[in-house]
Amino acid sequence: MPPRGFLEAFMRLKILRKLNPEDLPEVDFSGVPFKKLEVEMYQPLCDAINDSGVCSDFKLINVSSSVDGNGIPLRPDLAFVPINAEDLMDYTVMEFFLEAKAKDFADPFYGTEGNTLNNTIEKMEGQSASTRGQLISYAAALLSRQHRTFAFSIVVCGQYARFLRWDRAGCIVSDKFDYVEEPDILLEFFWCYARLTREERGFDPTVVPASAAEAKLLSDALSQYIKESQPRNVSYLQPKPDSTYPISKMQLRLSNGTRELIIGKPFWDADSPCGRATRAYAAYDMVEKKVVFAKDSWRDEDKDILSEAVIYDTLKKSNVPFLPEVIAAGDVYVKAKKKKAYQRTLTRNWSVRGGKAVIWRLPCAELRTLVHCRVIQELAYPITSVLSSKEAVQAIRDALEAIKVAYHDGKILHRDISTGNIMISKSGRGVLNDWDHALEVILRNTPQAYRTGTWQFISILLLRDPKKGHDVHDDLESSFWVLLYVSLHYFPHNLGPAFDAGFFDEYKEQPDLRAGDGKIRPLGGFEKAGFLNYTLQDIIWECAPLNTLIHVVGNIFDDYNTSHRKRNNNENEAARFSAIQEQLDRVDMILNHFDTALATDGWPESDALPDQFPLKTKKQEDQMIHDFKSRAIATAALERQAVAVAAATHRAPPTRSAIPGVRSSARLVQQRNEQQDLAPEAGPSRLPMSSRSTVKRTLDEVPAELPMFRSKRAKTAPERRPLKRAPKPPPPERPVAEHRYPTRSKSNGSRRGNSLKKPQEEDVEMQDVRRRNPSRSRTKSKSKDTRRVQATASEKSTEEKRQTRRKGRQPVKSTAGNGPSRPPPKSSTRRPN
């Protein structure tokens, strides 16, 4: 959209007042040194806006080098803040941010001139992509720490600038304009913004700052809830206020009244400025006077997709068991002339109108309109806080029954079974939560344009084929992956901490061969299938009923996916697939296995362990990489020493597992090699991918010599020096034969003898020269006698070659001598002395 059109639409939608051109002061941006260093642009831009007096209640400050009092490392260049705010980096008070670049080529977008719907406006070059990544990160941080319906930002590249408007559906970007030649465009934006109300600037009017007394109510209630939850692990709840997320009072306006909640920092937050942006809170209900669960998100406004409030009503009418107790649910609307003015995104409105007028030329996926919604429920415990394996199996079994009744009676599919959605009530039974992705079951079963669910627990068939229609079999398989994930992380088994559980995270962007359109799509599921085929059978859990259940259910889904892959080429496999599919469709087969396991004796009490594959901090990742490298270097040094000793004693070199001091490292390498076909780039599940791939490479790429690796705990850096090699033993003395020594000709490699008798020292030297191994030679250069022998052999060999050709047969390479046959030495141009 052109910058003037952006401002006109901005004023038409939000500023219901006219701008008098005489009220706009003059400003000169020619003093901004945009052709020099980027940091030199910051203060002149701030001074030009602040000195103009265009926004008396706000100011533009330089925060590029400001120390963030809240510990947030993401810092834009400039921030527009209220006039009474401190000149510090603080996302909680920032109105919008401005990112400046000194060069025009850092512009993250192309111009719209001459573009068609088939062209992209996003530059993919290095500096442009980096700038766009910065803008996205800053927008995500701003929208995360404030309650917004939308937000603005500005990007300056050289003498050009663009406006950006962010909401949960996407970002609208204006054409670039020359703010030096046309300063009134940029100045008009600041003038308009400074005269907007708080709601018109994008702040959610249903969320206001809480008082100190209200903040204390939340803190005291959370402390009491944590105390009552013992011995469960509810460390995700924070009773103390977090300065990065101020305490606020949230309202949910319903037809029967208004519900008010006190909220602080969410224990689940979105990491993107766009999308559903789900935020989960442990809130204090001002009406119920207790801690409740509050979910704030943006749902898809589609006639075929029901809101979560409507879905809960439908499930309740169908008597679906093991559902959360919903206190209130509905869309967020504001006061307006219309009775129901819900908060909606506007990005889609500026894409295409009527299929003709192209307002914004962006050939992306279908833009959606999202509606702001909230749900208030009784607070339950996550399945990761289980106390025993039986409790975990019981919770998943209850979720399976909810899936069954909702599918058969309510005609609803959940479509997002995960560890975050299967929960445990205070009575210890399961709760199937988060039905916001659910769909009505329809006969045509038209697949959605986008795949939904939590990636780690999506079924194999959906990961391989994004356009596959979601059915109940996928929800059942996701339940199995939840059971496996919890069992691997929290219950004792025969695997050590070096086990690679990264098959949950397998993520590959590659051409989708099934679709046939050549588009790059995220795919996965191949390592999950490999795990079911090969690895699962070798894992043994200490809890016998749990071990039996996992293997039985895992074999069912292994057979299901294997027969699906082979069904087109084998009639027997096709019939087998149909039979398994029919059994899964009734859900009873899986439920019966869970009931049988729960009725079995032998369940231990309180066998849950701390997470065996916990999320690593940056410091822990660095230390882990250091430990891997240290063990690899020590192993390489000991191996070289062992090989040298074996050569001196004429013994076979030992295997890595037989080297003293590296037995644990050898076991680690062996386990990793056994899982090589299943191990993804990511490594152990829940460990960041970049660090895990680094760790995985360290044992594969250890060179022969490495410098000393200094521990981070060392206060002083020792001198870096190469590892000392073990001294090489002298070569064994070889007996000298009293006959003539054969040599090779430089022309045809045939054997010839020489009649010269040499001392023992020269005999050893001749053997070394003949073997082309200078490192074992006892003299640095060849003697004159040696060169004379080689020259004589060359002359006689030429004569033998002529005689051989006359006889019409090929020369035979010699295999005689004191060693195996060797390639001919390089030709020598030396002549006898």
Side-chain angles (χ1 to χ4, degrees):
M1 177 188 300
R4 285 292 184 186
F6 186 95
L7 288 174
E8 291 171 2
F10 171 61
M11 293 176 62
R12 184 172 67 253
L13 290 172
K14 296 299 178 184
I15 306 179
L16 303 180
R17 56 180 65 90
K18 294 183 179 180
L19 170 63
N20 186 354
E22 297 180 357
D23 296 338
L24 193 65
E26 294 184 358
V27 65
D28 185 10
F29 290 105
S30 60
V32 178
F34 53 83
K35 293 185 178 180
K36 297 183 179 181
L37 295 177
E38 175 184 320
V39 295
E40 298 180 5
M41 300 173 59
Y42 301 158
Q43 199 57 44
L45 282 171
C46 295
D47 294 339
I49 295 298
N50 296 334
D51 295 343
S52 66
V54 70
C55 43
S56 57
D57 295 335
F58 299 91
K59 60 183 177 180
L60 190 65
I61 61 174
N62 178 7
V63 294
S64 61
S65 58
S66 171
V67 178
D68 183 8
N70 296 327
I72 303 175
L74 294 171
R75 293 195 302 269
D77 297 330
L78 308 179
F80 194 64
V81 299
I83 193 66
N84 57 354
E86 298 183 10
D87 291 355
L88 296 175
M89 174 63 212
D90 191 351
Y91 278 108
T92 62
V93 300
M94 185 187 301
E95 295 282 334
F96 63 83
F97 62 87
L98 186 150
E99 184 67 16
K101 301 295 179 185
K103 304 298 181 182
D104 296 345
F105 61 76
D107 188 354
F109 305 103
Y110 291 109
T112 58
E113 298 79 6
N115 273 9
T116 65
L117 285 176
N118 295 325
N119 298 134
T120 181
I121 64 165
E122 295 182 351
K123 290 184 179 180
M124 305 308 295
E125 292 80 3
Q127 185 63 35
S128 299
S130 176
T131 303
R132 187 167 57 255
Q134 286 181 283
L135 296 174
I136 294 173
S137 300
Y138 302 150
L142 176 64
L143 294 176
S144 173
R145 287 158 180 82
Q146 297 183 13
H147 293 271
R148 291 268 200 159
T149 57
F150 65 90
F152 289 102
S153 63
I154 303 174
V155 57
V156 174
C157 297
Q159 66 185 87
Y160 298 97
R162 295 181 187 269
F163 300 118
L164 295 89
R165 182 190 183 277
W166 305 84
D167 65 20
R168 295 303 185 177
C171 179
I172 304 174
V173 184
S174 75
D175 274 344
K176 68 179 182 180
F177 61 94
D178 191 332
Y179 66 91
V180 177
E181 297 295 332
E182 299 178 285
D184 57 319
I185 296 178
L186 187 58
L187 201 63
E188 185 177 346
F189 175 85
F190 281 92
W191 190 95
C192 293
Y193 190 93
R195 284 152 181 81
L196 292 173
T197 65
R198 183 177 175 85
E199 181 178 351
E200 291 170 343
R201 298 200 303 271
F203 290 91
D204 188 348
T206 65
V207 181
V208 296
S211 64
E214 292 169 336
K216 189 176 185 305
L217 285 176
L218 174 63
S219 178
D220 294 343
L222 284 176
S223 299
Q224 182 64 25
Y225 181 84
I226 294 173
K227 182 178 180 180
E228 295 174 353
S229 300
Q230 298 298 329
R232 294 190 186 274
N233 180 17
V234 289
S235 57
Y236 54 91
L237 300 180
Q238 297 182 0
K240 296 182 179 181
D242 191 325
S243 59
T244 61
Y245 293 84
I247 307 300
S248 304
K249 182 163 61 175
M250 175 187 290
Q251 296 179 346
L252 177 58
R253 296 169 182 168
L254 303 171
S255 57
N256 57 353
T258 300
R259 179 79 62 165
E260 289 188 342
L261 306 173
I262 308 300
I263 59 173
K265 179 180 179 180
F267 61 80
W268 177 266
D269 199 358
D271 56 358
S272 172
C274 305
R276 291 180 177 268
T278 301
R279 288 187 279 191
Y281 299 91
Y284 181 77
D285 189 346
M286 300 287 287
V287 177
E288 299 286 341
K289 306 298 181 182
K290 64 179 181 180
V291 177
V292 296
F293 170 76
K295 182 173 70 173
D296 182 271
S297 62
W298 293 75
R299 69 174 182 87
D300 197 340
E301 186 183 48
D302 193 308
K303 62 181 181 180
D304 294 332
I305 301 178
L306 302 178
S307 68
E308 192 169 6
V310 175
I311 289 174
Y312 279 126
D313 289 339
T314 304
L315 296 174
K316 188 175 181 179
K317 292 177 182 178
S318 302
N319 296 320
V320 178
F322 305 110
L323 295 177
E325 185 177 344
V326 179
I327 299 174
D331 295 334
V332 181
Y333 67 92
V334 294
K335 294 180 180 180
K337 294 181 179 179
K338 297 181 180 180
K339 293 183 179 180
K340 292 185 179 181
Y342 296 109
Q343 293 181 359
R344 289 180 171 86
T345 58
L346 297 179
T347 298
R348 187 174 183 271
N349 298 352
W350 301 102
S351 56
V352 177
R353 279 187 183 175
K356 296 181 180 180
V358 180
I359 305 299
W360 186 235
R361 307 168 188 262
L362 180 59
C364 63
E366 180 184 359
L367 293 175
R368 298 171 288 161
T369 298
L370 303 180
V371 179
H372 200 183
C373 60
R374 292 188 178 121
V375 177
I376 305 174
Q377 303 171 352
E378 291 287 345
L379 191 60
Y381 302 112
I383 196 172
T384 55
S385 66
V386 293
L387 302 178
S388 66
S389 53
K390 186 174 184 179
E391 187 180 50
V393 171
Q394 182 69 61
I396 297 174
R397 184 263 171 211
D398 294 340
L400 286 169
E401 186 173 349
I403 292 172
K404 173 188 173 181
V405 180
Y407 174 67
H408 289 288
D409 298 342
K411 305 301 180 185
I412 298 290
L413 278 174
H414 189 279
R415 300 201 314 150
D416 188 18
I417 306 297
S418 67
T419 54
N421 296 338
I422 298 180
M423 311 192 75
I424 302 174
S425 65
K426 291 184 178 180
S427 61
R429 299 302 295 267
V431 174
L432 186 55
N433 196 20
D434 280 349
W435 291 78
D436 53 344
H437 289 77
L439 282 180
E440 285 185 297
V441 178
I442 51 180
L443 296 177
R444 52 189 173 90
N445 195 22
T446 304
Q448 296 299 304
Y450 55 94
R451 178 174 44 196
T452 187
T454 304
W455 185 266
Q456 286 80 0
F457 310 104
I458 297 177
S459 68
I460 293 175
L461 297 184
L462 277 177
L463 290 174
R464 289 181 173 181
D465 185 6
K467 293 191 174 183
K468 172 190 173 298
H470 196 113
D471 51 41
V472 69
H473 319 128
D474 300 303
D475 281 353
L476 297 181
E477 185 177 333
S478 295
S479 301
F480 166 75
W481 293 119
V482 171
L483 173 64
L484 181 66
Y485 184 92
V486 174
S487 300
L488 285 173
H489 279 260
Y490 297 100
F491 304 125
H493 44 66
N494 63 335
L495 301 176
F499 173 71
D500 190 351
F503 57 89
F504 286 102
D505 306 320
E506 179 197 10
Y507 181 94
K508 299 177 181 178
E509 292 188 356
Q510 58 189 32
D512 187 1
L513 301 179
R514 296 176 183 269
D517 53 7
K519 291 186 178 181
I520 304 295
R521 291 185 175 89
L523 302 176
F526 304 99
E527 294 181 8
K528 279 185 176 180
F531 178 86
L532 292 179
N533 271 305
Y534 305 106
T535 310
L536 180 59
Q537 59 187 351
D538 297 329
I539 304 178
I540 301 175
W541 280 266
E542 290 185 8
C543 176
L546 175 66
N547 183 70
T548 302
L549 176 64
I550 293 177
H551 284 85
V552 169
V553 179
N555 290 335
I556 292 175
F557 287 107
D558 183 25
D559 294 341
Y560 174 72
N561 289 285
T562 302
S563 59
H564 177 273
R565 186 178 67 254
K566 299 179 179 179
R567 72 190 191 285
N568 294 329
N569 301 324
N570 191 314
E571 295 182 0
N572 295 332
E573 290 293 342
R576 183 185 179 194
F577 173 75
S578 299
I580 299 175
Q581 191 177 35
E582 183 179 354
Q583 291 178 334
L584 289 176
D585 192 64
R586 292 194 297 266
V587 188
D588 289 332
M589 179 178 65
I590 303 298
L591 263 177
N592 292 337
H593 288 298
F594 274 79
D595 291 336
T596 301
L598 290 171
T600 304
D601 296 331
W603 290 96
E605 295 183 2
S606 303
D607 59 336
L609 301 174
D611 193 348
Q612 300 178 80
F613 304 107
L615 181 65
K616 303 294 184 182
T617 64
K618 184 64 170 63
K619 183 177 181 180
Q620 290 172 333
E621 293 168 13
D622 293 340
Q623 185 61 40
M624 182 179 61
I625 295 173
H626 166 265
D627 294 340
F628 267 80
K629 288 184 176 180
S630 299
R631 286 198 297 267
I633 294 171
T635 302
L638 290 172
E639 282 181 335
R640 290 194 299 270
Q641 183 178 0
V643 170
V645 173
T649 57
H650 301 283
R651 296 178 181 176
T655 60
R656 172 171 289 200
S657 59
I659 300 175
V662 294
R663 190 173 301 276
S664 59
S665 178
R667 189 182 305 113
L668 182 65
V669 173
Q670 181 181 1
Q671 290 178 354
R672 184 190 58 77
N673 291 338
E674 291 173 354
Q675 301 295 332
Q676 187 172 5
D677 295 335
L678 302 178
E681 292 293 332
S685 179
R686 297 181 61 189
L687 184 64
M689 292 188 178
S690 58
S691 299
R692 284 180 285 177
S693 58
T694 304
V695 173
K696 180 178 182 295
R697 289 195 302 269
T698 54
L699 295 181
D700 295 331
E701 301 176 2
V702 178
E705 292 188 22
L706 286 175
M708 293 295 292
F709 193 90
R710 180 173 60 89
S711 171
K712 287 190 172 183
R713 294 187 291 268
K715 295 183 179 180
T716 58
E719 181 182 357
R720 299 178 66 88
R721 59 187 184 276
L723 289 174
K724 295 182 179 180
R725 290 180 176 270
K728 291 185 177 181
E733 295 291 341
R734 304 188 61 151
V736 181
E738 296 299 331
H739 55 78
R740 294 180 298 178
Y741 294 96
T743 59
R744 286 189 179 275
S745 169
K746 67 179 181 180
S747 57
N748 58 8
S750 62
R751 184 182 66 178
R752 86 173 307 281
N754 78 75
S755 59
L756 298 177
K757 299 292 184 180
K758 301 293 179 182
Q760 184 175 359
E761 291 78 11
E762 293 187 5
D763 290 338
V764 174
E765 180 184 358
M766 277 297 300
Q767 295 177 28
D768 293 334
V769 171
R770 187 175 66 249
R771 296 186 181 193
R772 307 299 298 167
N773 188 1
S775 64
R776 297 182 59 185
S777 178
R778 296 196 178 185
T779 57
K780 294 184 179 180
S781 60
K782 301 178 181 179
S783 64
K784 295 182 179 180
D785 293 333
T786 302
R787 292 196 297 267
R788 186 179 300 109
V789 169
Q790 290 182 343
T792 305
S794 175
E795 293 174 357
K796 293 186 178 182
S797 176
T798 303
E799 183 63 26
E800 283 186 3
K801 183 178 179 182
R802 292 174 183 173
Q803 295 177 2
T804 302
R805 288 179 179 174
R806 293 192 191 101
K807 295 179 181 180
R809 58 185 178 88
Q810 294 295 330
V812 180
K813 291 186 179 181
S814 172
T815 58
N818 294 329
S821 60
R822 352 171 248 293
K826 296 182 180 180
S827 301
S828 175
T829 57
R830 296 178 182 268
R831 304 299 299 172
N833 294 334

